[in-house]
């Protein structure tokens, strides 16, 4: 779905690539009747609303569609999204916790959804005139919508939509570092590279599926499409030239000093352990405590956890108790 900004030569190249993979593709242009004045009231691109009017944009011969944002990575079959019962709402999506519920004035127990992966029953939307209703709301209060598509869907359906499993839309909330949520599964259906500045083509920061993305990107690049290179971490001024050489030298000196100190500690510990074993073998080979409150008790073996054995057998270990 496009608004006339996809040149015919690009369409031809994309179609050729898709056909080689054994699939087919159709291009549908947004009609002139679409309310484009929305773009004058917000910083959002007009295309964010196309999914709301998808039932009017696509031909009536299509009864169901799976909408995917362009920053998604489909890793295996998603047939189940086409087979589920979408109920009276005609919408299936993955819920997510979001502060927009309070901002939109919805009940606290209401569910918010991520609009990057949507299963839509087009026949139901056409019958209920769903798209028309949402676009009308957009134009009545264009400044109200912080996230126009998701906000509208949350208000329009108000928990009437069908929630789907999180592995069908794994967003940056599961992959954003030490504070992220645990992955719902190690083998998700769809990875969604959400979050500005967190996408693999925007940052060098680690993402558990970045390598998989760049592997596919390389395949697409080989087909003749122009793609950016993978971002790398920039070297700052103190990581280059003479300054970096001196810093690395000092770092090496510190590491050698730490290694020497650690080796000396291990050597001293080994020496004390050897002397402890010699003392035990010379004075208490039978492993029976000589004096103190535990005199007469026998150790089952010549071992003492966390401290030396000789003072325990000689009876001096508990001297402070007497």
């Amino acid at each position: 779905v496009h608004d006339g900004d996809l040149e015919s030569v690009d369409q031809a190249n994309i179609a050729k690539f898709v056909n080689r993979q054994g699939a087919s593709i159709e291009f549908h242009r947004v009609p002139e009747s679409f309310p484009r004045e929305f773009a004058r009231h917000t910083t959002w691109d007009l295309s964010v609303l196309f999914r709301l009017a998808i039932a009017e944009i696509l031909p009536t011969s299509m009864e169901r569609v799976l909408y995917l944002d362009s920053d998604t990575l489909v890793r295996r079959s998603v047939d189940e999204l086409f087979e589920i019962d979408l109920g009276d709402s005609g919408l299936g999506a993955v819920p997510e916790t979001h502060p927009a519920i309070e901002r939109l004035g919805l009940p606290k127990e209401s569910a918010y959804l991520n609009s990057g992966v949507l299963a839509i029953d087009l026949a139901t939307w056409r019958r209920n005139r769903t798209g028309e209703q949402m676009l009308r709301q957009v134009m009545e209060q264009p400044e109200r919508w912080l996230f126009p598509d998701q906000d509208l869907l949350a208000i329009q359906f108000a928990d009437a939509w069908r929630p789907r499993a999180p592995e069908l839309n794994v967003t940056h909330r599961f992959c954003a570092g030490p504070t992220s949520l645990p992955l719902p599964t190690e083998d998700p259906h769809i990875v969604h590279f959400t979050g500005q500045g967190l996408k693999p083509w925007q940052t060098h920061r680690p993402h558990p599926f970045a390598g998989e993305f760049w592997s596919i990107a390389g395949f697409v690049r080989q087909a003749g499409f122009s793609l950016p290179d993978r971002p790398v971490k920039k070297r700052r001024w103190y990581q280059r030239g003479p300054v970096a050489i001196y810093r690395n030298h000092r770092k090496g000196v510190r590491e050698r000093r730490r290694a020497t100190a650690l080796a000396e500690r291990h050597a001293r510990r080994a020496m004390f352990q050897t002397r402890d074993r010699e003392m035990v073998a010379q004075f208490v080979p039978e492993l029976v405590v000589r004096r103190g409150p535990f005199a007469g008790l026998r150790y089952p073996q010549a071992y003492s956890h966390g401290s030396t054995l000789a003072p325990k057998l000689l009876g001096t270990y508990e001297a402070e108790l007497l």
Side-chain angles (χ1 to χ4, degrees), residues 2-309:
H2 66 102
D3 195 23
D5 49 355
L6 191 60
E7 301 293 338
S8 57
V9 62
D10 294 325
Q11 295 183 31
N13 290 334
I14 294 173
K16 184 186 301 182
F17 173 71
V18 172
N19 292 337
R20 284 203 302 266
Q21 314 313 316
S24 61
I25 187 170
E26 294 180 3
F27 299 91
H28 300 274
R29 183 166 180 174
V30 178
E32 292 298 327
S33 58
F34 191 87
R36 289 172 171 76
E37 58 268 24
F38 169 79
R40 296 199 296 266
H41 301 278
T42 178
T43 57
W44 285 93
D45 188 84
L46 184 65
S47 61
V48 76
L49 300 182
F50 291 170
R51 75 202 76 182
L52 304 182
I54 197 71
E56 286 72 39
I57 296 174
L58 296 179
T60 55
S61 58
M62 295 184 181
E63 296 184 352
R64 178 169 289 202
V65 66
L66 172 59
Y67 171 86
L68 297 171
D69 269 355
S70 58
D71 56 356
T72 53
L73 176 65
V74 180
R75 305 182 64 249
R76 51 197 179 98
S77 174
V78 288
D79 288 347
E80 65 178 81
L81 283 173
F82 285 95
E83 300 167 356
I84 61 174
D85 178 15
L86 296 178
D88 296 333
S89 68
L91 177 67
V94 174
E96 69 176 8
T97 303
H98 204 286
I101 292 297
E102 182 178 354
R103 172 174 53 81
L104 295 173
L106 295 172
K108 291 184 178 180
E109 62 275 10
S110 297
Y112 197 71
L113 56 84
N114 184 280
S115 63
V117 178
L118 301 174
I120 303 174
D121 189 294
L122 300 177
T124 300
W125 279 31
R126 293 182 184 116
R127 185 171 58 253
N128 298 335
R129 306 180 74 87
T130 302
E132 296 179 19
Q133 296 174 25
M134 289 190 290
L135 290 178
R136 190 181 307 115
Q137 289 189 74
V138 166
M139 297 315 304
E140 287 175 354
Q141 297 176 293
E143 298 85 3
R144 180 186 179 187
W145 317 112
L146 186 58
F147 304 102
D149 50 337
Q150 295 182 164
D151 288 355
L152 260 298
L153 290 168
I155 288 181
Q156 176 72 22
F157 295 100
D159 290 341
W161 50 279
R162 295 295 175 90
R164 309 315 304 157
E167 55 262 29
L168 290 167
N169 192 354
V170 174
T171 65
H172 72 279
R173 290 177 172 80
F174 297 94
C175 313
T179 60
S180 60
L181 299 171
L183 282 172
T185 173
E186 295 298 325
D187 187 24
H189 285 61
I190 301 175
V191 176
H192 190 181
F193 296 113
T194 55
Q196 187 60 34
L198 299 175
K199 307 177 191 297
W201 54 92
Q202 292 177 332
T203 179
H204 65 273
R205 284 185 286 182
H207 188 290
F209 297 97
E212 192 170 333
F213 167 83
W214 284 110
S215 175
I216 296 176
F219 172 73
V220 175
R221 186 183 286 111
Q222 290 176 5
F225 294 94
S226 177
L227 292 175
D229 294 326
R230 186 170 186 171
V232 296
K233 188 175 182 179
K234 295 181 179 179
R235 298 176 63 199
R236 301 183 181 276
W237 63 269
Y238 52 79
Q239 296 174 312
R240 304 189 300 267
V243 174
I245 295 175
Y246 176 73
R247 290 179 72 251
N248 291 335
H249 167 71
R250 296 303 304 167
K251 181 180 179 181
V253 170
R254 290 193 298 269
E255 290 177 349
R256 288 191 293 273
R257 287 176 178 173
R258 283 194 292 267
T260 300
L262 182 61
E264 291 176 351
R265 285 197 298 271
H266 287 322
R268 285 196 298 271
R269 185 180 298 114
M271 178 190 67
F272 289 136
Q273 291 173 346
T274 300
R275 290 182 178 180
D276 184 62
R277 288 192 295 269
E278 293 174 349
M279 189 176 295
V280 169
Q282 181 178 356
F283 295 103
V284 279
E286 68 282 4
L287 302 181
V288 176
V289 178
R290 291 289 185 90
R291 296 181 177 80
F294 301 107
L297 294 181
R298 183 187 298 275
Y299 267 72
Q301 57 181 324
Y303 173 78
S304 175
H305 182 72
S307 60
T308 53
L309 181 60

